[in-house]
Amino acid sequence: MQNNWSRYLRLIFAGLAGTSLVGWYFGYPLYGLLAGLVAYLWWTLGQARHLYQWLANPSATGEPPKSIGLWGDIFDNLHKLHQGHLLTQDRLRARINRVQESTNAMRDGVIMTDARGAMEWWNGSAEYLLGFKRSTDQGQYIHNLIRTPAFKAYFDARDYREPLEIHSPARPHLHLQIQISLFGDDDRLIVAKDVTRLYQLEQMRRDFVGNVSHEMRTPLTVISGYLETLVDHGDELPPKWRRAINTMAAQSSRMEALITDLILLSKIETGEHTGDDALTDVEQLIGQICHDARALSGERNHKILMEVTDHRLLRGDESQLRSAFSNLIFNAVKYTPANGIIEVSWSTNRDGAHLRVKDTGIGIDPVHIPRLTERFYRADPSRHKDTGGTGLGLAIVKHVLINHDGNLEIRSKVGEGSEFICHFPRERLVERVPETSNN
């Protein structure tokens, strides 16, 4: 490159020297030099014009403009750079096309938007599942096309740890699971999955459990009634029948408790509850449950401590909250050895309100904690033979907290006791209205 530049300068100086000699021959050397400079300037402007025309439309011809010297090298190097750029562009376009083809082959809908929700690209499945149209929806805000308030709140919340389930705006019979991921400059990658089949199976399961539980309650009540009568007149029965009658009565009571929990869980799951906007006096509610827990403890003589540091009211369904709190506190009584300590506390901080139930019981292996809120899951099935548990208590707690925008945290180690914490958002706390006295 340096050699070419030196050669080019020598050619310029040689040309100017030649025109100066011609002018000197005629007695005007300066005019000769000026003529050489003008000719060189005119030629340079011509080459610049060719360069401008070629850069404005480089694909018009396959070859760069023809020239010599420095301008020839410039044209050749620019042509090589342009060809390399075209090859890179073709490779990138081929990769993009391959990604788009593979994405279009997916059954899940995939949508790309910017930070504000303006739609940039989506695959064919998104058109089917959500009803998008490429001719009119490009650049539209996605929340203007998916007009579900829950989706708008989910998109703006920026908390995408859990997916959102909604009905398709274009095909209401389809149930979709929406998952959003952040990428790039705060852009969004939205995946819509058709979970209609799973949703229908779950609904069938709920209906089956609810219907069967209701249908079993009536005959079981009759059986329990007759068994109670037989137990009351056990002295009149032969000794070999008394044990059988007592065992059947105990199992009947256990089945009644199971059906009661199933019906309650079914109602909570299907949203069959009222009073969500009611105000609950948590201090009074916990006090009643702790009183019942001391009665349940009986001769086992548990030490049940209660502490309330915030006296505000909690907005929610009191019957559901009673079910959740009593399950946690009664479980602590059941699984804590005699003379053990059970601490129940209600406190608040900037994150919200928290109910803590801590015991000195036998504890739970941490490996079981992620599955404890599943229906009928038991970390140690043998323990439930003694306590008479139904395996639904923590499932009820979980769904009650979901209905109240809360979550359950579990801490436990074998031999060190357990701690269950119910977290509620601050928005559900309400100040007490001072009582006014009329004189």
Side-chain angles (χ1 to χ4, degrees), residues 14-32:
L16 293 176
T19 57
S20 297
L21 288 174
V22 173
W24 179 77
Y25 179 78
F26 289 103
Y28 301 98
L30 292 177
Y31 286 124

Side-chain angles (χ1 to χ4, degrees), residues 234-253:
D235 295 338
E236 303 174 10
L237 297 174
K240 64 179 181 180
W241 289 101
R242 293 175 190 172
R243 182 178 178 183
I245 294 298
N246 290 331
T247 302
M248 286 190 290
Q251 295 302 319
S252 175
S253 298

Side-chain angles (χ1 to χ4, degrees), residues 397-411:
V397 173
K398 181 185 75 170
H399 285 88
V400 168
L401 293 178
I402 290 174
N403 287 344
H404 291 79
D405 308 314
N407 61 83
L408 177 65
E409 180 182 358
I410 304 175
R411 303 171 183 172

Side-chain angles (χ1 to χ4, degrees), residues 126-132 145-146 167-174 176:
E127 294 185 0
Y128 172 77
L129 295 175
L130 297 165
F132 298 154
L145 302 175
I146 305 179
H167 288 284
S168 168
R171 294 173 171 79
H173 65 282
L174 295 181
L176 305 179

Side-chain angles (χ1 to χ4, degrees), residues 93-376:
R93 186 178 291 109
R95 292 181 182 178
I96 292 174
N97 290 337
R98 184 171 179 80
V99 171
Q100 290 183 345
E101 288 175 0
S102 61
T103 307
N104 280 321
M106 295 175 59
R107 294 185 178 181
D108 299 338
V110 180
I111 309 102
M112 295 172 58
T113 73
D114 62 13
R116 296 183 300 170
M119 297 176 56
E120 298 175 349
W121 181 86
W122 59 90
N123 65 352
S125 296
E127 294 185 0
Y128 172 77
L129 295 175
L130 297 165
F132 298 154
K133 297 180 180 178
R134 296 191 182 277
S135 58
T136 58
D137 295 339
Q138 187 75 30
Q140 295 288 330
Y141 291 112
I142 190 169
H143 45 75
N144 291 337
L145 302 175
I146 305 179
R147 296 180 177 272
T148 303
F151 176 79
K152 179 67 165 60
Y154 181 66
F155 186 92
D156 295 337
R158 295 174 56 85
D159 183 4
Y160 306 134
R161 289 173 295 180
E162 297 294 333
L164 171 71
E165 292 192 6
I166 61 173
H167 288 284
S168 168
R171 294 173 171 79
H173 65 282
L174 295 181
H175 197 77
L176 305 179
Q177 184 182 81
I178 306 295
Q179 181 73 64
I180 301 180
S181 301
L182 294 172
F183 75 99
D185 188 15
D186 203 27
D187 296 330
R188 306 300 201 275
L189 178 66
I190 304 173
V191 179
K193 180 180 296 185
D194 183 3
V195 293
T196 304
R197 182 61 178 167
L198 293 176
Y199 176 77
Q200 291 174 343
L201 290 173
E202 179 67 14
Q203 192 63 41
M204 289 173 59
R205 182 196 62 78
R206 291 177 181 175
D207 294 341
F208 173 78
V209 171
N211 293 335
V212 170
S213 300
H214 280 93
E215 292 297 327
M216 289 179 63
R217 166 166 277 184
T218 299
L220 187 59
T221 302
V222 174
I223 294 172
S224 298
Y226 281 115
L227 286 173
E228 288 179 5
T229 302
L230 292 173
V231 170
D232 292 339
H233 296 80
D235 295 338
E236 303 174 10
L237 297 174
K240 64 179 181 180
W241 289 101
R242 293 175 190 172
R243 182 178 178 183
I245 294 298
N246 290 331
T247 302
M248 286 190 290
Q251 295 302 319
S252 175
S253 298
R254 186 174 180 180
M255 187 173 291
E256 278 190 301
L258 174 60
I259 291 176
T260 300
D261 283 352
L262 283 172
I263 293 175
L264 175 61
L265 183 58
S266 177
K267 288 181 178 180
I268 293 174
E269 285 182 330
T270 55
E272 296 178 14
H273 62 281
T274 57
D276 189 53
D277 292 330
L279 299 179
T280 300
D281 188 336
V282 179
E283 181 178 5
Q284 180 181 359
L285 178 61
I286 296 175
Q288 294 172 354
I289 297 174
C290 287
H291 180 269
D292 296 338
R294 294 186 183 97
L296 177 65
S297 175
E299 298 179 354
R300 300 174 68 192
N301 196 28
H302 293 103
K303 187 176 182 180
I304 301 177
L305 306 176
M306 173 181 160
E307 180 184 12
V308 176
T309 59
D310 190 290
H311 303 283
R312 283 178 287 182
L313 303 176
L314 181 66
R315 189 182 302 279
D317 188 328
E318 182 173 349
S319 63
Q320 288 196 24
L321 294 173
R322 181 183 297 275
S323 298
F325 295 172
S326 61
N327 266 301
L328 293 179
I329 297 173
F330 292 168
N331 278 350
V333 173
K334 293 176 182 177
Y335 299 123
T336 300
N339 301 314
I341 300 174
I342 299 171
E343 301 175 8
V344 180
S345 65
W346 174 257
S347 61
T348 60
N349 55 23
R350 65 179 183 179
D351 296 325
H354 316 279
L355 173 77
R356 286 180 170 84
V357 180
K358 186 175 182 180
D359 61 56
T360 57
I362 57 179
I364 305 168
D365 191 330
V367 72
H368 297 292
I369 290 179
R371 300 190 59 190
L372 282 181
T373 56
E374 295 180 11
R375 301 172 187 85
F376 304 111

Side-chain angles (χ1 to χ4, degrees), residues 64-85:
K66 300 295 183 182
S67 185
I68 60 174
L70 179 64
W71 282 100
D73 293 338
I74 290 175
F75 288 141
D76 291 340
N77 290 331
L78 286 177
H79 179 64
K80 292 178 180 178
L81 289 175
H82 178 61
Q83 293 298 317
H85 172 71

Side-chain angles (χ1 to χ4, degrees), residues 54 58-59 61-62 78-94:
W54 182 56
S59 60
T61 59
L78 286 177
H79 179 64
K80 292 178 180 178
L81 289 175
H82 178 61
Q83 293 298 317
H85 172 71
L86 291 179
L87 290 175
T88 303
Q89 193 176 48
D90 289 340
R91 286 197 297 268
L92 290 176
R93 186 178 291 109

